[in-house]
Amino acid sequence: MAGSVVLLTGFIATIWITIGVYIAGKFYPNYNHKTQFCSELGATGSPTEKLSPLINNYPLGLLFCLFGWSVIAHANEALTLTAVGWLIIIHGIGTWVAGYFPMDKDPYTKTPTLNCQIHSHAGLVMLLSLLIAPLLVLFSDLAFEFRIFSGVSAAIACFYLYRMAKAFKQKTYLGLYQRISYWAKLIWLATLSLLLWSST
């Protein structure tokens, strides 16, 4: 019973981060979800530098790791699903690291601090781990419909990641595109969580 409940942590994490980012944004005067990165909420010198990792990164890292562990336990030694579980755990660890080492307040700085460099590398690990995971599901024994959904989720995430990169150069809606790209993967994660939980 306890194991099946832990399978819901992927779904809980998706709800948690949605509420957490919204709440942190409320305590950051003039914060714009369309034009600013999520990480700017915890950036050095931001009004929510301490609050954001406390309500977002640290509890989310735990939820991601718990969900990854439950996926591995549920996999019954199936290699693909086991790898997906480990990737989710890696995503959780990256979430912790990104929260502990804040980015610089100015995302366009030419000379990022060491903390910002570590944050950026952790962000890259987070990005890749939750992008590779749904792609691996394409080769799993999970339901055909979910495998198609996984591929579509990864495609949407990649497309809006590309849009975000362009928006960063143009200094436009990078926050909006980051959120669409990341939440496409989070919705995939929540769906996987519900799918595995319903099968127990």
Side-chain angles (χ1 to χ4, degrees), residues 129-176:
S129 60
L130 217 55
L131 185 60
I132 296 171
L135 292 175
L136 283 181
V137 168
L138 292 172
F139 306 98
S140 72
D141 294 327
L142 293 175
F144 174 76
E145 293 82 1
F146 182 70
R147 282 183 280 155
I148 296 299
F149 174 71
S150 298
V152 171
S153 298
I156 292 172
C158 286
F159 175 73
Y160 280 100
L161 185 64
Y162 165 75
R163 295 290 301 273
M164 184 194 76
K166 289 189 65 176
F168 181 77
K169 293 179 180 179
Q170 298 166 355
K171 298 185 179 182
T172 54
Y173 293 118
L174 59 92
L176 175 63

Side-chain angles (χ1 to χ4, degrees), residues 87 90-91 93-95 119-131:
L87 285 167
I90 290 169
H91 186 81
I93 294 170
T95 302
H119 177 92
S120 298
H121 284 97
L124 179 61
V125 169
M126 289 174 63
L127 186 156
L128 291 175
S129 60
L130 217 55
L131 185 60

Side-chain angles (χ1 to χ4, degrees), residues 34-37 40 43 103-113 116 120 163-175:
K34 290 183 179 179
T35 60
Q36 291 181 266
F37 288 119
E40 289 184 62
M103 68 174 285
D104 295 332
K105 192 170 184 180
D106 179 12
Y108 294 97
T109 181
K110 301 296 184 183
T111 55
T113 61
C116 187
S120 298
R163 295 290 301 273
M164 184 194 76
K166 289 189 65 176
F168 181 77
K169 293 179 180 179
Q170 298 166 355
K171 298 185 179 182
T172 54
Y173 293 118
L174 59 92

